[in-house]
Amino acid sequence: MNKTIIVSNRLPLQIKLDGSELQVTPSVGGLATGMKSVHRNSNGLWIGWSGLTDEELHPELSKKVERAVSKEQCATVNLNKEDIKHYYYGFSNRMLWPLFHYFIEYAEFSMTSWETYKRVNEKFAEVVIARANDGDKIWIHDYQLLLLPQLIKEKRPHLSIGFFLHIPFPSFEIFRTFPKRKEILEGMLGADLLGFHTYDYERHFLSSVKRILHCDVSFNKINYQNRTIKVDSFPMGIDYSKFEQAALKHNNQSEEEKSEVQKRLDDHLVPGKDVKMVLSIDRLDYTKGIPNRIRAFEYFLTKYPQYKEKIRLIMLAVPSRSKVPQYKRLKEETDELVGRVNGAFSTVSWTPIWYFFRTMPFENLIDLYTSCDIALITPVRDGMNLVAKEYVATRTNNDGVLVLSEMAGATKELNEAIHINPYDLEDMANSLKQAIDMPLEEQQRRMKSLKKRVSRYDVKKWASDFMSSLNDTHNTLSTMEADPLDNSLITSFTEAINSNETCILFLDYDGTLVNFSERPEDAIPDPKLLELLHDINEKPNVDLVIISGRDQKSLNNWFKNTPFTLISDHGVSMRSKGENWKILERLNTDWMEDIKPVLESFADRTPGSFIEEKNFSLAWHYRNADIELAQKRLSEINTVLTSFISNTDLTLLDGNKVLEVKSSKVNKGRACNYMLQQHKYQHIFAFGDDWTDEFMFEDLPKHAHTVKVGLQKTKARYYLDSVEQVRTVLTAIAIS
C-alpha cells in the first residue's frame, strides 16, 4: 500500500531522557494536529529529528529511540551538536529566518553554516529515500529543509513531492541579496507542488524564480528542467473544535474549578467598573513587533488619559531562541519598555501592563482568550499568525475585537478584524480606541463572520486541500499522452539497434544533446558527446542524423569531420555522409531586411536580449533578459510581427527563450520525410525537446519511436526528463 511520508525538522513527539529511560509524548502544535489525519490514516510515516543529539545517545539508547518512535509511525534523522549549532541555530535561524522576514540587517551568512545546512538536508534525503517506495507521496515542511525536494527528486524522479513553507517568502528585492539564492530556489523546485500561506508569498516566489533562474512561468505553473511545477496558496488553519470546546467548557466552570490565573483575572473584571483587558500573546521574536506594541500602548495612555485604570495590557511572551544575540537584546528592550510604561503610569491599585515571560499551559491560554475583550496582535512580519485565529475560536459569545497587523498572513482571511500598520503608533493607538468603543452589536457582527471563516477552513481542511492538490498534480503527470521511457523500452531500443534491421536515429541538438547556454555559441559539443555519437554511427545498420535549428556554419564547425548526417535551419539544408551541403528548400530571404530592424528595436529596449541572424531565419534570444520584461516584449513582438507577416509564407516559432522568424515551408517533419524517401528503414528513432520538434514527431510514421525531452504535452510516444537521461539512453545504445 502506498504511503504518505511527512518530513519536518522535528518529529511530532516530545522525547525526553530520564536517566536511561525515555519519555515519549505527542506534540500539541498546529502542524502536529493538522497532519494527524494524513499521518495516521494514510499508512503515513513522519521523518524528523528526535530532539536528542548523537552525543546524548549511546548505541543501546539509540535503538530504544528508534523502537519508540517506530511505534508512533515515525523515523529519526540523527543529528549531532555541530549540526544543530550550524544548521538550525546558524543557517536556519540566523540567515533564513531574518532574511525571509525582511530583517536583512540581522541576516548572518557563513560558509560553515551553509555547508552544514547542505549536509543535514542530505542526511534527511538519505532517510527519506531509504524509506520511500514508488507510488509514495512526500510532504516536506518549512525553511529548514529548502534543499530537500531537489535532493530527493535527483535520486527518485518519479516520487510525488510536495513542499510547504510556513514563513513568508520575501519579495525579489529582498531575496536577491541572499548569497545562495539560486541554490535555494533549485532545491525548492525539486517539488511537484509548492505551497505558501498567501498569494503574496506565492507571487514573490514566482517573481524570484523568473528573475533568478529565468524559468518560464504561466499563471501558477513553472516549467523547469523539462518539468511542470505547480505553485499555490493554502492558508493554514487551527484545530477550531479544540479551542471552541475548551472555551465552552471554561465558561461553564464552577468557582472551585477555576484556575488561579482566572481568579486573578476575575478580580479585575468586576461588573460595572468597565475595565477592558487587552491580550498580547507571542513568542519573544523580533518579527512580532512587541516593542512597537508597547510604545503604541504608551502613546495610547498619553493621548487618551481617560482610560487610565480602565484598561490593562496582558502580555504573554513565550521564550524563544535565547541563544541568538538578537533575541537577548529583544528581551532586554522589552523588559525596559514594560518597566518604563509601568513606572510612568501605575497607581496604587493599577498596573497598566501585566507582563509574563514564560510558557503557559493550554488551560491558562483559554483563561486569557476568554477573559480579554480585545486581542492586540501586531507582528511586523508573520507567515500566518495562528494566535489571531485561536482568539476568534474561543469567543463563544461572539463578542470581542481582534486588532491585527496587516503584515500578518492571517489578515488576508480575517477581513473583519481592525487592520493596523504595526510601524504607525498613531494608527495602533486610534485602532485600540476604536476597539474599546465598538458597540456590542458591531462586535458580534464582525466576530460571527470571523468565526464562520476560521471554522470552515481549519487545519484539517488545510492539510486535506494540500494533499488533494498534490494528488491532482500527480494524476496530471501520470496522464500525460507520452509514457516514460523505462528500462524495458531502452532494452527494446538496443535490441533493434543490434539486429540486422536498418535503423535511423534523428537527434535534435539544443535541449536534447546539450543543455541550453546563456550564449548560443557556447553550446559546443563536448568530447564525450562526440565520442558517443561516433560509437553509435559506427554500427553498420544505423544512420545517425543531427537535425537542428542551428545554421550551416555552426553545425559545420562543431561536426566538421564527423561521418554522420547533419540537417540545419530546421530542414533547409543537409550534409549527408561524405558529401557537401545541399539545399532541401529554396527560400527567399529578402524579407530579413524588413524584419531585422523590427526585432532590433525590441532588443534595444530589452536589456540582455539579442538578435541571432541565420542564413534563412532571424531569432530573438531573451534567455538573459529580465523574464517579466521579456514576456511583455514577447507579447508585443507577437502582435507586431503577426500583422507584419500575415500575407507572407513566414511563421513565428516560439522556442525555449527564443522567438524565431522563418519560412513556413520549412520544418523538421518535411526534412525527416525527405530522408525516409531516400531509404527504407525498419526502425525509426527521434529525440527532441522543443515544440519545433513536434513537426517531426507528428510527420514520422506511427510506428516510429519518438521521445520528448521534458514532461510536456506532446505528439511523441515517450518522454525523458533531461539531457542527462538522453545521454544515458544513447550510451546504452552505443555500448550494446
Side-chain angles (χ1 to χ4, degrees):
M1 179 181 173
N2 293 335
K3 61 182 177 293
T4 298
I5 298 178
I6 304 161
V7 193
S8 62
N9 174 57
R10 288 289 297 269
L11 290 174
L13 303 171
Q14 296 292 329
I15 303 175
K16 295 181 180 178
L17 281 176
D18 183 8
S20 60
E21 296 299 315
L22 288 176
Q23 295 179 350
V24 180
T25 55
S27 297
V28 293
L31 183 61
T33 302
M35 300 302 295
K36 188 180 296 182
S37 59
V38 177
H39 183 207
R40 297 295 184 186
N41 301 339
S42 62
N43 189 32
L45 175 68
W46 197 312
I47 293 174
W49 178 47
S50 66
L52 300 173
T53 62
D54 291 348
E55 290 81 358
E56 297 174 272
L57 297 171
H58 53 74
E60 183 179 342
L61 190 55
S62 183
K63 289 179 182 177
K64 280 187 177 181
V65 171
E66 287 293 336
R67 287 195 295 269
V69 301
S70 180
K71 291 178 181 177
E72 303 295 330
Q73 292 179 230
C74 294
T76 60
V77 177
N78 296 324
L79 302 180
N80 57 44
K81 287 183 178 178
E82 283 298 299
D83 291 335
I84 299 304
K85 177 182 176 182
H86 295 294
Y87 146 78
Y88 183 73
Y89 289 111
F91 194 79
S92 294
N93 289 319
R94 296 178 77 160
M95 181 69 226
L96 292 176
W97 179 269
L99 182 80
F100 279 44
H101 286 85
Y102 291 67
F103 285 82
I104 304 178
E105 68 276 18
Y106 290 169
E108 301 175 21
F109 179 82
S110 84
M111 283 304 296
T112 300
S113 293
W114 166 246
E115 293 298 330
T116 305
Y117 184 83
K118 288 198 298 182
R119 185 174 67 249
V120 170
N121 272 253
E122 288 164 358
K123 286 185 176 183
F124 273 84
E126 289 171 5
V127 176
V128 173
I129 290 167
R131 299 277 188 155
N133 300 315
D134 290 343
D136 288 349
K137 293 179 179 61
I138 318 295
W139 188 356
I140 302 165
H141 291 269
D142 226 1
Y143 63 104
Q144 300 94 347
L145 302 172
L146 294 174
L147 303 180
L148 185 56
Q150 184 63 17
L151 291 170
I152 298 173
K153 184 65 74 174
E154 285 173 353
K155 297 290 180 65
R156 303 290 291 278
H158 298 298
L159 283 176
S160 184
I161 302 173
F163 177 88
F164 191 86
L165 186 67
H166 291 264
I167 64 175
F169 194 92
S171 70
F172 167 70
E173 291 300 333
I174 297 291
F175 187 70
R176 72 190 301 192
T177 65
F178 182 34
K180 296 298 178 181
R181 59 197 185 181
K182 185 170 180 286
E183 290 86 344
I184 290 296
L185 292 177
E186 289 172 341
M188 295 176 72
L189 290 180
D192 301 297
L193 173 65
L194 286 152
F196 300 89
H197 281 304
T198 73
Y199 174 70
D200 282 349
Y201 308 153
E202 175 189 342
R203 178 169 52 84
H204 292 161
F205 175 75
L206 292 173
S207 179
S208 289
V209 166
K210 286 190 285 186
R211 293 171 177 229
I212 294 170
L213 298 184
H214 304 288
C215 291
D216 285 327
V217 176
S218 177
F219 297 103
N220 66 334
K221 291 185 172 61
I222 302 168
N223 292 320
Y224 175 70
Q225 293 186 343
N226 298 314
R227 294 170 46 235
T228 299
I229 299 156
K230 183 180 178 183
V231 183
D232 212 340
S233 53
F234 304 87
M236 188 175 182
I238 62 168
D239 187 347
Y240 183 88
S241 177
K242 174 184 176 182
F243 284 89
E244 183 184 48
Q245 293 303 315
L248 289 170
K249 180 180 178 183
H250 172 277
N251 292 340
N252 291 319
Q253 289 180 120
S254 65
E255 196 63 31
E256 293 74 23
E257 292 173 317
K258 289 182 179 180
S259 68
E260 289 302 314
V261 170
Q262 186 61 55
K263 289 177 181 177
R264 189 175 177 195
L265 289 169
D266 289 346
D267 290 341
H268 295 269
L269 292 171
V270 179
K273 285 193 174 182
D274 198 25
V275 175
K276 296 290 184 181
M277 292 285 195
V278 181
L279 179 62
S280 161
I281 297 181
D282 306 276
R283 283 187 307 105
L284 191 69
D285 191 292
Y286 50 75
T287 66
K288 302 300 183 181
I290 295 172
N292 275 2
R293 192 178 310 160
I294 300 171
R295 292 187 185 99
F297 188 63
E298 179 182 38
Y299 181 75
F300 170 84
L301 293 174
T302 302
K303 185 174 182 179
Y304 301 107
Q306 66 268 32
Y307 289 104
K308 291 178 182 178
E309 298 192 341
K310 292 187 176 182
I311 190 169
R312 176 171 282 115
L313 176 63
I314 302 177
M315 277 186 54
L316 174 61
V318 178
S320 174
R321 298 171 187 151
S322 56
K323 295 181 181 179
V324 179
Q326 289 88 354
Y327 290 78
K328 293 179 181 178
R329 291 196 292 269
L330 175 63
K331 172 67 166 58
E332 292 170 0
E333 183 183 11
T334 301
D335 291 347
E336 290 174 5
L337 285 169
V338 171
R340 187 175 83 189
V341 174
N342 283 341
F345 294 97
S346 290
T347 65
V348 173
S349 59
W350 175 68
T351 305
I353 301 177
W354 283 355
Y355 173 45
F356 304 94
F357 179 62
R358 68 186 74 156
T359 57
M360 274 195 179
F362 178 75
E363 292 74 15
N364 291 149
L365 290 179
I366 299 299
D367 292 337
L368 294 176
Y369 281 142
T370 55
S371 300
C372 291
D373 310 278
I374 299 163
L376 184 62
I377 301 170
T378 63
V380 292
R381 188 69 58 176
D382 211 343
M384 176 49 64
N385 195 294
L386 299 181
V387 169
K389 295 185 176 185
E390 292 170 2
Y391 178 75
V392 168
T394 58
R395 306 307 295 179
T396 54
N397 294 327
N398 296 323
D399 60 352
V401 183
L402 175 61
V403 181
L404 182 61
S405 165
E406 62 191 39
M407 304 298 180
T411 308
K412 304 297 181 184
E413 299 171 83
L414 306 181
N415 295 322
E416 292 78 13
I418 298 175
H419 295 170
I420 57 93
N421 177 353
Y423 293 97
D424 187 342
L425 303 188
E426 180 86 22
D427 184 26
M428 282 196 275
N430 291 340
S431 295
L432 186 54
K433 172 75 162 54
Q434 179 188 352
I436 293 170
D437 294 342
M438 187 178 292
L440 180 59
E441 183 181 346
E442 184 180 350
Q443 291 182 35
Q444 291 177 334
R445 176 179 58 78
R446 289 175 180 248
M447 192 58 69
K448 284 178 182 178
S449 296
L450 289 170
K451 288 173 68 68
K452 184 177 180 181
R453 190 172 298 110
V454 173
S455 64
R456 186 173 65 247
Y457 202 92
D458 64 2
V459 70
K460 294 176 184 175
K461 183 72 163 58
W462 166 79
S464 173
D465 279 2
F466 186 93
M467 286 305 301
S468 177
S469 188
L470 183 59
N471 289 333
D472 289 344
T473 303
H474 176 76
N475 293 337
T476 298
L477 297 179
S478 63
T479 56
M480 299 293 286
E481 289 184 9
D483 295 321
L485 189 63
D486 57 23
N487 290 333
S488 63
L489 287 166
I490 295 172
T491 300
S492 70
F493 281 20
T494 58
E495 289 174 352
I497 294 287
N498 288 321
S499 68
N500 293 323
E501 297 175 332
T502 55
C503 303
I504 187 167
L505 182 58
F506 294 105
L507 297 173
D508 172 49
Y509 186 71
D510 293 284
T512 301
L513 295 178
V514 297
N515 285 307
F516 290 99
S517 298
E518 290 188 357
R519 300 191 309 162
E521 60 268 28
D522 290 341
I524 301 170
D526 55 89
K528 285 186 177 179
L529 175 60
L530 292 172
E531 182 182 354
L532 178 59
L533 297 175
H534 178 79
D535 290 345
I536 294 174
N537 195 66
E538 283 289 291
K539 294 181 178 292
N541 61 320
V542 177
D543 285 341
L544 179 63
V545 182
I546 304 294
I547 180 166
S548 173
R550 295 282 186 164
D551 60 19
Q552 240 185 70
K553 183 179 178 181
S554 297
L555 294 181
N556 217 34
N557 287 340
W558 295 342
F559 301 103
K560 186 173 183 179
N561 300 314
T562 54
F564 38 82
T565 298
L566 303 175
I567 296 177
S568 74
D569 300 285
H570 302 293
V572 173
S573 56
M574 180 176 75
R575 189 206 72 181
S576 298
K577 295 180 182 180
E579 297 180 7
N580 294 323
W581 285 91
K582 66 179 179 181
I583 300 297
L584 297 180
E585 302 281 357
R586 295 289 175 184
L587 300 176
N588 179 6
T589 58
D590 294 344
W591 59 269
M592 295 173 71
E593 293 182 5
D594 298 322
I595 298 293
K596 186 178 178 183
V598 177
L599 292 177
E600 285 177 336
S601 70
F602 282 98
D604 291 341
R605 293 187 293 123
T606 315
S609 71
F610 61 91
I611 306 301
E612 180 186 10
E613 187 172 357
K614 304 181 185 180
N615 290 335
F616 303 98
S617 65
L618 291 170
W620 178 61
H621 292 268
Y622 54 90
R623 183 173 303 279
N624 303 326
D626 180 279
I627 192 64
E628 292 185 347
L629 176 61
Q631 288 175 339
K632 178 184 176 184
R633 293 286 184 259
L634 183 64
S635 176
E636 294 172 0
I637 290 177
N638 271 297
T639 301
V640 171
L641 291 185
T642 299
S643 173
F644 206 92
I645 67 176
S646 60
N647 295 319
T648 70
D649 65 354
L650 300 177
T651 189
L652 301 178
L653 291 181
D654 193 359
N656 193 313
K657 303 293 192 305
V658 59
L659 180 73
E660 191 163 359
V661 188
K662 58 178 282 295
S663 171
S664 57
K665 294 179 180 178
V666 177
N667 64 60
K668 291 184 180 181
R670 287 166 64 97
C672 289
N673 281 328
Y674 174 84
M675 292 287 298
L676 298 180
Q677 289 168 10
Q678 310 307 308
H679 303 282
K680 299 298 181 185
Y681 295 96
Q682 290 159 296
H683 298 284
I684 302 168
F685 302 90
F687 291 72
D689 76 297
D690 211 334
W691 81 271
T692 61
D693 297 302
E694 293 298 320
F695 294 106
M696 176 170 63
F697 299 147
E698 189 169 12
D699 287 358
L700 286 173
K702 288 185 178 180
H703 67 271
H705 303 289
T706 50
V707 182
K708 179 81 166 184
V709 184
L711 187 55
Q712 303 166 28
K713 196 168 182 65
T714 178
K715 297 290 185 180
R717 295 171 62 187
Y718 312 111
Y719 75 87
L720 291 169
D721 289 325
S722 63
V723 168
E724 290 70 28
Q725 288 191 5
V726 173
R727 291 208 186 187
T728 299
V729 173
L730 295 180
T731 300
I733 290 173
I735 65 177
S736 61

